[in-house]
Amino acid sequence: MKQDGALAVIQLSHAGRQTPEHVNPTPWSASDVQLVSSARFTTYGKPKALSTEQVRTEVIDRFVYGAKYAYECGFDGVQLHGAHGYLLSQFTSPTTNKRNDKYGGSIENRQRIILEIYDAIRAEIPASTGFLVGIKTNSVEFQAEGTTLEDAKEMCQTYENVGFDFVELSGGTYEKLLFNYERESSKKREAFFVEFAEQIRPVFIKTVVYLTGGFRTTSAMVDAILKNATQGIGLGRPITAEPDLPKKILEGSAMSAVQDCFNQNDMSTTAMASGTQMEQMGRTNMKKAGGDLLHQITDFSNKEAADRFSKALVEHLRQAERDITEGKIPKPIVVFD
C-alpha cells in the first residue's frame, strides 16, 4: 500500500445494531432500538443497550486496541467510522440513542464516546508520532429525529477543537440510504452532500476535510474543492472497478470514473458489484498478475457482463433467503467470473 508513497489509513468500525442476525442475534448498541429491514435476505436482531461500564470495555478499549494494532503493523493512521448508522453513529443519532446517562441526551453527551475513544488512542499513540486519527461522520441522516445539519456542524466543530487530523463527510444510514435522498437539488448534482459540506466546511481550520459520495468526474471534484466545500475527495465504488483511478486523475490521464451499466440509484446492486470486484482482486497478487491492476476484475461498463451479474445477484439473494430460512449462514459475496 505504501510502496509508491501513499498513506495507509485503516478504518475501524463496529456495526452495532446493523450486525446481521445470523452473526449476532443480540448485538450491542447505544439503546435497544431494533433495525427493521425490508430485505427478506437480511434481518437484524434486537440490540442490547451497553451499560456505562460496557461502553468502556466493549467499545472504547477495543477501538484503542485496533488503533494500537494498526500502528504496530505500520499503518499511518486510523479512521473511526462514525457514519452510516454504525455503532458510533448509533450513539450520536437521536434516532437510536435513547440513553439517560452521560452518553445520552445532549449532543455533548451523545458525542462523548467518540471523544473518549480519541483521547484514549492519543494516550497510547501521541500526535507527536505522526500517526493520524480521523473520523467519518454524517453531514445529515435524512430521518425524523436523525442527525441534522446543525447537529453535524456542532459535532464537527468539536472534532476541530479536540484535534482530529481529518474528517470525512458523508451521509445516510441503512434505514435511509444516501441514494434515497429526494431533494431535486441533490438529484441534479453529481456529489450527494456538497450542499451540506459547504455549510460545515467553515468550522475546520486545522482539521482536513474530505467529502465522499457520488463523485465520478474530475470536473465535479475540482468544483467542490474550488467552492471550498472540501479539501479532499473520497472515492468508493469507482475504485473497485479501477483501483488506480486516483493516480490517473492526479496525472491527468483520466477525466472520470468508468460508467458502469447499472442503475446508479440502485445502491444495493452497485455495492454488491463492488464487493464482487474486491473478491476478484483478492484472488491473486500483483506479481502473479504481471503488474496488471485490472487482472480478473469484471468490467461492468460492458452491458453483457452487467446483465449476467444482475441475474447472478438475483439467484444469490434467493439462495441467501433459503439459507436463512434453513438456519444456515448466507454467503456475503457474489462470486462471479
Side-chain angles (χ1 to χ4, degrees), residues 5-51:
L7 295 176
V9 178
I10 191 168
Q11 186 183 84
L12 303 180
S13 182
H14 189 307
R17 72 171 191 150
Q18 290 183 173
T19 304
E21 190 170 20
H22 67 265
V23 175
N24 187 346
T26 55
W28 297 122
S29 185
S31 302
D32 62 355
V33 181
Q34 187 170 8
L35 173 60
V36 179
S37 171
S38 59
R40 294 173 297 175
F41 53 87
T42 306
T43 56
Y44 304 92
K46 180 74 171 178
K48 295 188 295 185
L50 291 147
S51 69

Side-chain angles (χ1 to χ4, degrees), residues 240 270-280 333-334:
T240 65
T270 56
M272 289 297 290
S274 283
T276 290
Q277 289 171 325
M278 285 189 276
E279 186 276 331
Q280 291 170 336
I333 298 293
V334 180

Side-chain angles (χ1 to χ4, degrees), residues 11-269:
Q11 186 183 84
L12 303 180
S13 182
H14 189 307
R17 72 171 191 150
Q18 290 183 173
T19 304
E21 190 170 20
H22 67 265
V23 175
N24 187 346
T26 55
W28 297 122
S29 185
S31 302
D32 62 355
V33 181
Q34 187 170 8
L35 173 60
V36 179
S37 171
S38 59
R40 294 173 297 175
F41 53 87
T42 306
T43 56
Y44 304 92
K46 180 74 171 178
K48 295 188 295 185
L50 291 147
S51 69
T52 303
E53 176 59 26
Q54 286 170 333
V55 169
R56 164 63 64 179
T57 59
E58 300 295 332
V59 183
I60 297 172
D61 289 350
R62 298 192 180 201
F63 271 90
V64 174
Y65 175 85
K68 288 175 66 178
Y69 197 95
Y71 176 65
E72 291 164 4
C73 287
F75 281 90
D76 296 297
V78 293
Q79 180 193 58
L80 309 181
H81 195 340
H84 299 167
Y86 287 92
L87 181 62
L88 297 185
S89 65
Q90 289 162 32
F91 274 86
T92 58
S93 174
T95 303
T96 45
N97 188 336
K98 308 299 181 183
R99 304 174 70 94
N100 55 19
D101 63 359
K102 66 178 182 177
Y103 295 107
S106 66
I107 292 180
E108 179 183 3
N109 283 352
R110 300 197 311 271
Q111 196 178 13
R112 186 185 304 276
I113 186 172
I114 292 173
L115 304 186
E116 290 185 353
I117 290 171
Y118 175 83
D119 288 341
I121 290 174
R122 281 301 183 214
E124 297 286 342
I125 315 170
S128 59
T129 62
F131 189 76
L132 303 172
V133 179
I135 186 167
K136 186 185 189 90
T137 190
N138 277 349
S139 58
V140 69
E141 284 187 344
F142 316 126
Q143 287 180 286
E145 298 184 25
T147 299
T148 65
L149 175 61
E150 290 305 314
D151 290 340
K153 288 171 68 175
E154 186 171 338
M155 289 192 293
C156 285
Q157 181 67 68
T158 301
Y159 298 143
E160 162 74 24
N161 293 344
V162 301
F164 272 86
D165 293 295
F166 66 92
V167 170
E168 179 190 5
L169 298 174
S170 188
T173 69
Y174 270 28
E175 288 181 314
K176 190 67 172 176
L177 294 174
L178 48 94
F179 278 102
N180 292 335
Y181 184 36
E182 291 98 356
R183 279 185 58 178
E184 204 60 37
S185 59
S186 183
K187 288 182 180 179
K188 294 175 182 177
R189 293 171 186 248
E190 178 177 315
F192 307 129
F193 308 114
V194 165
E195 60 190 283
F196 305 110
E198 287 174 344
Q199 297 180 65
I200 296 172
R201 172 72 182 93
V203 309
F204 296 116
I205 299 172
K206 295 180 180 179
T207 299
V208 177
V209 59
Y210 289 84
L211 181 60
T212 300
F215 284 110
R216 295 295 180 271
T217 65
T218 303
S219 59
M221 300 174 200
V222 172
D223 184 61
I225 292 171
L226 291 179
K227 286 181 176 178
N228 202 29
T230 184
Q231 293 167 282
I233 303 296
L235 296 175
R237 288 165 296 154
I239 60 171
T240 65
E242 200 173 2
D244 57 346
L245 179 61
K247 181 180 179 182
K248 291 175 181 175
I249 290 173
L250 292 172
E251 290 176 345
S253 60
M255 299 306 292
S256 71
V258 172
Q259 178 64 58
D260 63 50
C261 292
F262 299 117
N263 176 357
Q264 295 306 298
N265 290 323
D266 183 356
M267 186 177 182
S268 296
T269 296

